Amino acid sequence: MAGLAAAEVPAQAREASYNFDLPAGPLTASIARFSQITGLSVGYPGDLPMVMARRVSGTFPAESALRKLLDGTRLRAVKVGPGLYRLERKAKRADVAPAAAPPPAAFAGPDIIVTGQKRQQALSAIPLSVSVMSAIDMGKAGRSLGSRDMSLDMEGLAMTNLGPGRNRQFIRGVADSPFNGQSQATVAVQVDEARVTFNAPDPDLRLIDVDRIEILKGPQGPLYGSGALGGIYHIVTRRPDPTDSEAWVRLSGSAVEHGRPGHGVEAMLNLPLVGDRLAVRAVGYDFLDGGWIDSGGVRKDSNSTHSAGLRLAVRWQPSDRWTLDAGYWMQNIDSRDSQYVTGTDDRLRRQSRIAEPTDNDFRMAHAAITGELGGLELLSATSYVEQRFSYTLDASASAAFFGLTGQARFDDARRYSVLNQEFRLSEGRNSRWVAGASMLRAMTREQGAMTGEDGMSRNVEDLRRVVSEYALFGEGSIRLARGLDATLGMRLFYSLAKDDARADRAEAERLRKSGKWILSPSLALSYTLPGEGLLFLRYARAMRPGGLAPAGMTASGHFDADELGTFDLGYRKSFWDNRLSVSAGAYYTLWDEIQSDYLLRNGLVSTRNAGRGRIVGLEGSADWRMGGGFALSLGGSVQDARLLRSQAGQKLADRRLPVAPEITGRVSLSRHYRIGSWNGQSGLQANYIGDARLSFDDDLDRGMGDYTVMSASSSVERGPWSLAVRIDNLFDVRGDSFAFGNPFSIREAPQYTPLAPRMLTLSLARRW
């Protein structure tokens, strides 16, 4: 994504003093923010050491601020040209005279560090397709972000749009179904070292006070086990800083075209407790997002959503060799009604006799211990996640299937939990290998009830599922020749699934217990290009275990495991002293025995094996710091995802896999500037979302997508204060973001999920 060094500015401007408020944190992030404020390029020959920078706050000349920033890091800055500084290590006893300036081609900017591969690695050296969105990039939005916002900025990520806390994520066309059934998700959500989802929908965690988002593309079975067919969505939070206290508060308000206003408050507090050894960090937020859909002729702007959350983190360093990170995250999402319409997609209303609220309550507790053991780094990570998910739907259209007449209401309540324990060994920072063992236990409990006009309730779904996985895994790289490396990964695990289900209380209980040994390999060859660049070819496989279909399945009553393999050819390169960075990828995927959730005639969701699929795609991005404070970012993808053969052998009119669009594109232009003593930034972004389809089934299929949406933002800051304004859906486009809302009535009339109308958001923040 955005680079870590900004464009040059006139020499006279560099002599000025700047207002700095750089929070303590990773040096890579602090250098990036410094470059954005001053316009100076700061680089390091090789991978920037993973060290923590102290907080810098106040008004200083650029060089003075840089010295303060590097204080205690054992690094110093050497001026090597106009607007260019090189970081180098200090001598052990005293500083030595600056080295001669290297030629421009040898100058390298600070690299981005990612941890999605279960160890700290420089992005430039990873033989894997990865997209990274840094905290600085997210800060440009001028508001708190969620998962769907990431899909507009990171190539390959697509999402459904049922509503907050109900969506499913897909990466690079590995999309099995838009329906929230019981098949395991193809994308695993990870928060730091904690596995968050197994078969639950995306919890849509608010991305507040996070360091970065990493999207690992392609099968990640060797390191993450089952379910990571499409990739990993990795949230990396900011850890407590034991060296300095800081806090911030941000207030926001929004106005929605054709809808109700919204408001929000978010805050962070970092507090050292015991010297440089113990610190706590707390984040809290509360938002009300205004609705814009009228329902039933009487409920105006009914789809408003209330989100509230609290995140606590503790870091304890009892010695220089050992660190304990522990935390807790809770978030509640309550939506008053669904966000789909009927009739046409150019209106924001529907006729519905029953409100359709949704509730998603998320809880996560985690702890990780890191330390040195025999010259190696040992990590033990433990996490427990629970998600309680419930919703109500108007089921009147399907009342007759359940022996009811008139109005009928369907209530679904689910409880998901994931317990994960993992042990890992590596060489520490920039380790060329990692090995470990893990245990995962995922439990699901679902109950669905149908209620008629007379108030009588009938249980129509009852499912319990427990999946346990025990694994040994590892990945390592070896040098084959100068510049040529091979990376081999392997995971051997045993998956045990226990299912029991009944369609109603009168039906005999169905039991199923199955165990399966699974081997997930990966192999990559990578070649380091002259300068800053990498060319790689990777192959990887991943698998999902089978299970028991929850309702009305065929005589077998279960669905089989599916398996996916992908070839990925990737390229990353930086030019012009890292002012231009380019990445591109081509991928080919074969997917056997695709598990797919689908709708029964009565509107309930079951699971089956749909057949064999193939995905071919291209994607690319470019980030260019143009000079004069301007930056341009481009990205796009083209893919062909099709079902080659259906399980039943029937001919399909449209063989495309669901949800994922065939074409996407984005372009954004931003500029940093100064207005007196204020630092400013403005940006404009356009996204094109291409055509996509809803389902494999011809009688359910609906088209969606094929629209362009734009946003504009601007922010200014001075010292501890910052003010931001943002307009989303600038031209109030009424595109259909998802052609689905209610499974019980979707066969009766067209359904659409329109884009949120034009929205103006203002925010004011203060740091301490």
Side-chain angles (χ1 to χ4, degrees):
M1 301 310 292
L4 295 182
E8 295 185 32
V9 295
Q12 61 268 26
R14 296 192 200 103
E15 302 301 323
S17 294
Y18 298 86
N19 294 309
F20 294 94
D21 189 13
L22 306 177
L27 181 59
T28 52
S30 298
I31 290 293
R33 187 63 179 142
F34 172 87
S35 295
Q36 285 190 338
I37 293 173
T38 64
L40 302 177
S41 295
V42 183
Y44 185 78
D47 300 334
L48 190 69
M50 284 294 296
V51 296
M52 299 295 290
R54 295 180 180 273
R55 182 183 181 188
V56 177
S57 181
T59 303
F60 313 101
E63 288 194 10
S64 297
L66 186 56
R67 284 196 298 269
K68 291 178 180 292
L69 186 65
L70 298 175
D71 185 32
T73 65
R74 303 194 62 140
L75 296 170
R76 66 173 183 169
V78 178
K79 190 171 184 178
V80 294
L84 299 177
Y85 288 80
R86 183 184 72 244
L87 300 183
E88 61 181 33
R89 294 185 181 274
K90 293 181 180 178
K92 291 186 177 180
R93 294 186 179 180
D95 289 350
V96 296
F107 188 82
D111 207 344
I112 299 173
I113 300 298
V114 297
T115 55
Q117 289 287 87
K118 297 188 181 289
R119 59 199 186 276
Q120 293 179 347
Q121 295 174 287
L123 176 61
S124 62
I126 299 177
L128 175 73
S129 292
V130 183
S131 288
V132 179
M133 174 71 74
S134 71
I136 294 173
D137 296 320
M138 287 184 277
K140 298 175 184 177
R143 61 181 176 86
S144 70
L145 302 176
S147 304
R148 277 193 58 81
D149 300 295
M150 293 298 98
S151 68
L152 295 178
D153 288 287
M154 307 179 84
E155 278 68 49
L157 179 63
M159 297 192 67
T160 61
N161 194 21
L162 281 169
R166 295 179 63 187
N167 296 321
R168 303 188 70 189
Q169 297 175 319
F170 305 108
I171 294 177
R172 283 187 163 181
V174 183
D176 52 2
S177 167
F179 308 115
N180 284 319
Q182 292 302 332
S183 62
Q184 189 178 356
T186 63
V187 175
V189 179
Q190 185 92 359
V191 175
D192 295 325
E193 301 294 341
R195 176 76 175 258
V196 170
T197 61
F198 189 80
N199 58 341
D202 171 38
D204 196 17
L205 298 171
R206 290 273 185 164
L207 304 177
I208 299 172
D209 195 47
V210 303
D211 185 67
R212 63 189 181 276
I213 302 297
E214 302 171 357
I215 304 292
L216 279 64
K217 305 173 187 180
Q220 303 300 318
L223 291 183
Y224 287 93
S226 68
L229 273 67
I232 302 295
Y233 180 84
H234 187 202
I235 302 172
V236 182
T237 64
R238 286 182 170 171
R239 306 298 175 87
D241 175 21
T243 65
D244 196 9
S245 60
E246 61 173 319
W248 56 259
V249 173
R250 180 162 69 175
L251 304 176
S252 60
S254 61
V256 184
E257 192 96 6
H258 323 292
R260 292 185 180 181
H263 54 79
V265 58
E266 51 196 295
M268 185 282 297
L269 172 65
N270 185 91
L271 191 63
L273 297 179
V274 180
D276 292 344
R277 297 295 185 184
L278 180 65
V280 296
R281 195 176 188 98
V283 176
Y285 50 93
D286 190 288
F287 295 94
L288 178 64
D289 299 321
W292 64 86
I293 290 177
D294 299 336
S295 179
V298 294
R299 298 190 301 277
K300 299 283 290 183
D301 307 320
S302 64
N303 64 314
S304 61
T305 298
H306 178 234
S307 305
L310 173 68
R311 191 172 82 238
L312 300 173
V314 177
R315 166 161 282 196
W316 180 37
Q317 297 174 299
S319 71
D320 293 336
R321 290 184 160 191
W322 292 90
T323 301
L324 168 66
D325 286 298
Y328 177 77
W329 194 341
M330 62 165 288
Q331 176 177 279
N332 296 336
I333 300 177
D334 297 298
S335 298
R336 292 175 55 221
D337 210 339
S338 299
Q339 59 184 35
Y340 69 95
V341 299
T342 55
T344 63
D345 60 356
D346 62 352
R347 67 176 189 174
L348 300 177
R349 64 182 183 275
R350 73 170 185 270
Q351 292 299 322
S352 179
R353 293 160 286 186
I354 298 174
E356 299 179 346
T358 301
D359 179 34
N360 189 317
D361 296 337
F362 174 87
R363 305 289 184 270
M364 179 184 74
H366 63 96
I369 302 174
T370 307
E372 293 184 18
L373 185 66
L376 300 176
E377 182 176 278
L378 169 69
L379 183 141
S380 172
T382 307
S383 61
Y384 178 77
V385 176
E386 183 175 280
Q387 212 177 147
R388 293 181 180 267
F389 173 53
S390 63
Y391 60 92
T392 297
L393 292 172
D394 184 348
S396 303
S398 295
F401 286 100
F402 303 98
L404 303 174
T405 58
Q407 293 187 10
R409 185 185 76 245
F410 175 72
D411 295 287
D412 189 278
R414 307 185 189 187
R415 177 189 171 192
Y416 303 96
S417 66
V418 180
L419 173 65
N420 196 32
Q421 172 64 55
E422 187 165 292
F423 299 96
R424 296 203 301 266
L425 280 175
S426 68
E427 293 177 322
R429 296 187 178 96
N430 295 317
S431 175
R432 293 178 66 86
W433 63 269
V434 63
S438 70
M439 184 280 293
L440 179 144
R441 185 178 177 87
M443 294 182 286
T444 304
R445 182 74 167 93
E446 178 186 7
Q447 289 183 305
M450 196 72 65
T451 304
E453 282 185 327
D454 57 3
M456 295 296 292
S457 182
R458 177 187 176 189
N459 192 43
V460 296
E461 285 188 327
D462 196 338
L463 173 71
R464 304 175 189 87
R465 189 180 197 204
V466 179
V467 177
S468 301
E469 291 184 358
Y470 308 90
L472 297 173
F473 63 89
E475 185 178 82
S477 299
I478 58 174
R479 178 61 52 87
L480 300 179
R482 185 176 180 180
L484 180 64
D485 291 341
T487 302
L488 176 65
M490 193 76 68
R491 186 183 190 96
L492 176 65
F493 63 101
Y494 180 72
S495 178
L496 177 64
K498 299 179 182 179
D499 300 272
D500 64 80
R502 66 188 77 184
D504 56 46
R505 296 186 184 278
E507 183 186 77
E509 189 172 334
R510 293 186 293 151
L511 299 173
R512 184 174 186 264
K513 179 178 178 180
S514 62
K516 186 177 183 67
W517 285 98
I518 301 174
L519 183 66
S520 291
S522 68
L523 175 63
L525 296 175
S526 59
Y527 179 71
T528 302
L529 301 172
E532 289 290 312
L534 188 74
L535 179 67
F536 66 87
L537 176 65
R538 179 179 185 263
Y539 175 77
R541 295 189 69 83
M543 178 182 285
R544 290 187 294 181
L548 188 65
M553 190 56 177
T554 58
S556 64
H558 72 274
F559 52 93
D560 297 325
D562 60 350
E563 190 170 9
L564 179 148
T566 295
F567 287 95
D568 185 7
L569 177 64
Y571 168 83
R572 284 192 293 269
K573 188 78 169 68
S574 296
F575 304 90
W576 307 335
D577 298 334
N578 294 287
R579 298 191 188 283
L580 173 65
S581 59
V582 177
S583 67
Y587 50 93
Y588 179 83
T589 297
L590 286 177
W591 191 358
D592 292 315
E593 305 296 332
I594 298 174
Q595 293 178 19
S596 177
D597 296 326
Y598 74 108
L599 288 185
L600 301 171
R601 296 300 303 180
N602 59 13
L604 298 179
V605 179
S606 190
T607 309
R608 65 181 174 184
N609 294 105
R612 190 172 198 242
R614 184 265 297 147
I615 306 167
V616 180
L618 298 170
E619 66 179 25
S621 65
D623 296 280
W624 180 24
R625 293 183 297 279
M626 305 162 60
F630 284 96
L632 178 68
S633 182
L634 304 168
S637 66
V638 179
Q639 64 185 4
D640 181 55
R642 293 183 178 274
L643 195 67
L644 298 178
R645 172 185 53 80
S646 68
Q647 194 75 357
Q650 73 267 31
K651 294 183 179 180
L652 303 175
D654 188 345
R655 295 185 292 119
R656 289 180 298 166
L657 299 186
V659 180
E662 294 179 310
I663 301 174
T664 64
R666 64 173 177 86
V667 56
S668 65
L669 178 67
S670 62
R671 187 186 182 224
H672 295 273
Y673 49 85
R674 289 178 60 82
I675 305 176
S677 58
W678 292 80
N679 296 311
Q681 174 182 277
S682 297
L684 185 68
Q685 178 163 326
N687 287 86
Y688 173 71
I689 308 299
D691 179 61
R693 67 178 301 199
L694 177 67
S695 171
F696 290 118
D697 300 299
D698 290 336
D699 66 329
L700 276 177
D701 201 14
R702 307 286 191 275
M704 52 188 172
D706 193 20
Y707 58 83
T708 300
V709 64
M710 297 186 68
S711 63
S713 63
S714 187
S715 63
V716 292
E717 62 178 30
R718 176 183 178 184
W721 291 96
S722 63
L723 177 68
V725 58
R726 179 181 177 90
I727 302 178
D728 289 289
N729 197 356
L730 190 61
F731 297 106
D732 200 23
V733 174
R734 298 289 182 87
D736 181 19
S737 64
F738 192 50
F740 168 61
N742 187 317
F744 296 101
S745 57
I746 188 173
R747 288 184 171 93
E748 287 198 334
Q751 296 181 358
Y752 308 92
T753 304
L755 291 169
R758 180 167 43 234
M759 180 184 301
L760 172 68
T761 303
L762 296 173
S763 65
L764 176 67
R766 172 69 159 87
R767 289 184 177 272
W768 288 271

